[in-house]
Amino acid sequence: MEETELLNPRNSNTLDIAENKKSSDTKNHLIERIIEEIGYGKYTFLLYLMISIISVIDGSEALITALVNYILSKVVWLRSSEDMSMYSTLVYTGLFIGTLLSVTIADRLGRRKPIIIFLSLALGIGIISSLSPSFTFLIITRTLYTMSFGVLIPLGVTYVMETTSKAVRGKVNIFLTSGGYAAGEIYTIIFAYAVGAEKEGTSSWRVLMWWILVPILIALVISIMYLKESPRFVILKNPIQAVEIFREMFKMNHQSELVVDSSEIAEIQELSIAHQKKMNVNPFFELFRGENRRITTCLWVLWYIILFMFTGIPFMMPLISGSEEGFLDYRTLIYSVATEIPGHIISYSLIENPCFGRKKILYVSLFACAIFSFSAYLFESYFLLFSCLVRLGACISYDIISPYTSELYHTNCRVSGTGCGVALGRVGSLMVPWLIVGVLNITDVKAYVVFGCLSVVGFIASILIPYDTTGKELDKEK
């Protein structure tokens, strides 16, 4: 038997691969255990606050764009609808470019340095933008502003996933990103109403832009004073430094020392060597190697469809209702935000439940979107009800796709995978004004046929993702 095994190199290689996989899984379990021991405290609170602010900025900008669109066309500079369409398109283009930039930056420079750099840029450009003397200057500065914080969106999601225990990282991600996005919308509504941003003969819209920069300033101070580099990223290059970062995080949380013995440090060093072999490939090209090719294709389709619906439904609500006030009807704004809340609650409740998991929630919610979209078209007397249900399903899908994407990729290409997905989603957002308005010129309700067809495609794409990640360790061999 022994002689046969020695003469059969295939058996020997199979055993080596199995042993290497088992060894790698054991070392990944060590990282997960350390993260669980770090737990919660001062550092975790500050980290989560900073990351949630990134989502606050994202949610805030969505409404700022709509408000400025109305103000500059109806109140201040009286720009044409074509000019304002160009303004909105370029703002979303900035987001698209920013998320693509994160792909080339973060997987090389890490997480902390780009966060500080682009928070600083967003703050500086935001101040300049609020003082814009002309429409052209405003377009340029707002595009650069959205480009700056567009880089931050994938970084925030990735940092949460890399520093949070596998048992709760999905819930934490939804609470920080979706909750932060809704908080940004509410924050903007409150201050827009308080300063009277839409009133004639004032510069209140500039004051609103200044107030929106306050969260960025808070996030920048936190990141400079307290933020550490992601230890999972540092392991790829310097495992000893990664251990020190773990210890600093633990000390800030518990005011005591984290015990990592020499054998565990040796395991982390071995894990670093194993990971470094994967760093020889460009992070972007890694997205299309082996099983990642199928994962990436499915995720790109899903990101485009989900953000198209997530952005498109609230965009078309004032058009369908025939409201002449559009987004400046504050009741409409509040109503739009309120419809998101039940979706976030459902996502938060189910995402870590092993009976559901990321994949199942995703394809069930998209299937529901398809059913409700076609129902909105077929039963017009119940249009408002089915429209709200489609919005609910889109919110749930949006909550799930973000952590799911980050977990499906290895650390060396995680930001690349997340950034490309978000960028494709921003393309979906860019297409909304053109496609939805084009469809609505035929008939309002037919727009929901588009949503229904896209939901069916998304349902198929989510089914084709090869595995779920609920409760799984990051970077574990599949």
Side-chain angles (χ1 to χ4, degrees), residues 5-296:
E5 289 181 351
L6 289 173
L7 293 174
N8 190 342
R10 179 177 295 180
N11 287 347
S12 176
N13 290 340
T14 302
L15 288 173
D16 288 343
I17 292 171
E19 287 298 319
N20 289 338
K21 179 178 181 297
K22 182 178 180 181
S23 175
S24 177
D25 289 350
T26 301
K27 296 176 180 67
N28 277 313
H29 181 69
L30 170 62
I31 303 301
E32 291 289 345
R33 181 184 63 77
I34 291 174
I35 289 174
E36 289 177 2
E37 286 187 21
I38 289 171
Y40 304 94
K42 179 182 178 181
Y43 180 78
T44 308
F45 171 77
L46 292 170
L47 169 65
Y48 287 173
L49 176 61
M50 186 275 297
I51 291 172
S52 66
I53 288 175
I54 293 174
S55 297
V56 168
I57 300 167
D58 193 14
S60 176
E61 182 59 28
L63 289 188
I64 286 289
T65 301
L67 287 166
V68 171
N69 205 321
Y70 177 87
I71 293 167
L72 297 189
S73 62
K74 304 292 184 182
V75 180
V76 183
W77 292 335
L78 305 179
R79 306 300 301 195
S80 67
S81 58
E82 291 78 12
D83 285 345
M84 298 318 301
S85 294
M86 179 177 64
Y87 170 82
S88 299
T89 299
L90 288 175
V91 165
Y92 281 112
T93 301
L95 279 172
F96 170 72
I97 295 172
T99 51
L100 280 184
L101 283 175
S102 70
V103 172
T104 59
I105 293 172
D107 284 324
R108 296 298 182 187
L109 298 180
R111 295 20 170 172
R112 181 180 184 271
K113 189 180 294 184
I115 286 175
I116 293 175
I117 291 172
F118 286 95
L119 278 173
S120 302
L121 285 174
L123 180 62
I125 296 171
I127 293 172
I128 295 172
S129 176
S130 67
L131 302 173
S132 296
S134 66
F135 182 69
T136 302
F137 191 86
L138 180 67
I139 286 181
I140 295 171
T141 53
R142 292 312 286 181
T143 302
L144 292 174
Y145 170 78
T146 54
M147 189 187 304
S148 298
F149 83 75
V151 176
L152 301 170
I153 297 171
L155 286 172
V157 174
T158 300
Y159 209 114
V160 171
M161 307 310 287
E162 291 180 345
T163 57
T164 304
S165 168
K166 64 182 180 181
V168 295
R169 64 180 176 230
K171 286 187 173 183
V172 169
N173 184 81
I174 289 174
F175 181 78
L176 297 180
T177 57
S178 300
Y181 190 95
E185 292 175 315
I186 295 170
Y187 179 81
T188 304
I189 292 170
I190 291 172
F191 278 99
Y193 182 78
V195 303
E198 78 284 7
K199 293 180 180 178
E200 296 184 19
T202 70
S203 296
S204 297
W205 62 280
R206 298 182 188 272
V207 177
L208 177 61
M209 285 186 173
W210 296 337
W211 275 109
I212 298 306
L213 298 176
V214 173
I216 300 180
L217 178 61
I218 295 172
L220 179 60
V221 171
I222 292 173
S223 61
I224 292 174
M225 295 182 63
Y226 300 104
L227 185 64
K228 313 294 181 186
E229 182 55 83
S230 169
R232 281 190 182 274
F233 175 81
V234 177
I235 284 175
L236 300 176
K237 298 182 178 181
N238 190 335
I240 301 301
Q241 183 183 354
V243 173
E244 289 304 311
I245 292 174
F246 279 133
R247 285 173 171 159
E248 291 173 9
M249 293 166 64
F250 186 90
K251 188 172 184 178
M252 282 189 67
N253 277 351
H254 304 288
Q255 307 302 313
S256 59
E257 297 294 333
L258 174 68
V259 177
V260 182
D261 60 36
S262 57
S263 64
E264 291 174 329
I265 293 176
E267 287 185 27
I268 293 174
Q269 289 175 316
E270 291 175 16
L271 182 65
S272 174
I273 293 172
H275 286 348
Q276 284 173 6
K277 294 178 182 178
K278 298 186 177 184
M279 294 185 66
N280 296 326
V281 181
N282 184 289
F284 179 78
F285 295 131
E286 183 71 23
L287 302 181
F288 299 95
R289 293 186 64 192
E291 196 172 42
N292 279 352
R293 186 184 301 112
R294 177 177 169 184
I295 291 172
T296 299

Side-chain angles (χ1 to χ4, degrees), residues 170-424:
K171 286 187 173 183
V172 169
N173 184 81
I174 289 174
F175 181 78
L176 297 180
T177 57
S178 300
Y181 190 95
E185 292 175 315
I186 295 170
Y187 179 81
T188 304
I189 292 170
I190 291 172
F191 278 99
Y193 182 78
V195 303
E198 78 284 7
K199 293 180 180 178
E200 296 184 19
T202 70
S203 296
S204 297
W205 62 280
R206 298 182 188 272
V207 177
L208 177 61
M209 285 186 173
W210 296 337
W211 275 109
I212 298 306
L213 298 176
V214 173
I216 300 180
L217 178 61
I218 295 172
L220 179 60
V221 171
I222 292 173
S223 61
I224 292 174
M225 295 182 63
Y226 300 104
L227 185 64
K228 313 294 181 186
E229 182 55 83
S230 169
R232 281 190 182 274
F233 175 81
V234 177
I235 284 175
L236 300 176
K237 298 182 178 181
N238 190 335
I240 301 301
Q241 183 183 354
V243 173
E244 289 304 311
I245 292 174
F246 279 133
R247 285 173 171 159
E248 291 173 9
M249 293 166 64
F250 186 90
K251 188 172 184 178
M252 282 189 67
N253 277 351
H254 304 288
Q255 307 302 313
S256 59
E257 297 294 333
L258 174 68
V259 177
V260 182
D261 60 36
S262 57
S263 64
E264 291 174 329
I265 293 176
E267 287 185 27
I268 293 174
Q269 289 175 316
E270 291 175 16
L271 182 65
S272 174
I273 293 172
H275 286 348
Q276 284 173 6
K277 294 178 182 178
K278 298 186 177 184
M279 294 185 66
N280 296 326
V281 181
N282 184 289
F284 179 78
F285 295 131
E286 183 71 23
L287 302 181
F288 299 95
R289 293 186 64 192
E291 196 172 42
N292 279 352
R293 186 184 301 112
R294 177 177 169 184
I295 291 172
T296 299
T297 303
C298 292
L299 288 175
W300 283 13
V301 171
L302 285 165
W303 271 104
Y304 181 92
I305 290 171
I306 290 171
L307 273 190
F308 184 94
M309 292 196 299
F310 186 78
T311 307
I313 295 170
F315 172 82
M316 65 183 295
M317 285 299 288
L319 301 177
I320 292 177
S321 65
S323 170
E324 295 181 358
E325 292 179 280
F327 279 105
L328 286 187
D329 181 349
Y330 289 104
R331 291 171 299 178
T332 303
L333 288 171
I334 294 170
Y335 175 77
S336 177
V337 174
T339 56
E340 299 177 19
I341 296 174
H344 299 326
I345 293 174
I346 293 172
S347 303
Y348 184 86
S349 301
L350 298 181
I351 190 169
E352 302 296 356
N353 189 323
C355 296
F356 293 94
R358 278 71 155 153
K359 181 175 177 177
K360 185 179 291 185
I361 297 172
L362 193 57
Y363 69 68
V364 168
S365 62
L366 286 167
F367 182 78
C369 281
I371 297 297
F372 295 138
S373 293
F374 292 128
S375 297
Y377 171 68
L378 294 172
F379 307 103
E380 291 190 41
S381 57
Y382 296 98
F383 169 77
L384 184 59
L385 171 63
F386 287 122
S387 178
C388 289
L389 291 173
V390 177
R391 173 69 169 162
L392 184 72
C395 285
I396 294 172
S397 301
Y398 181 67
D399 287 343
I400 300 301
I401 190 66
S402 181
Y404 195 22
T405 299
S406 189
E407 292 170 336
L408 282 166
Y409 291 113
H410 190 275
T411 296
N412 74 313
C413 64
R414 183 168 293 120
V415 175
S416 293
T418 305
C420 285
V422 175
L424 262 293

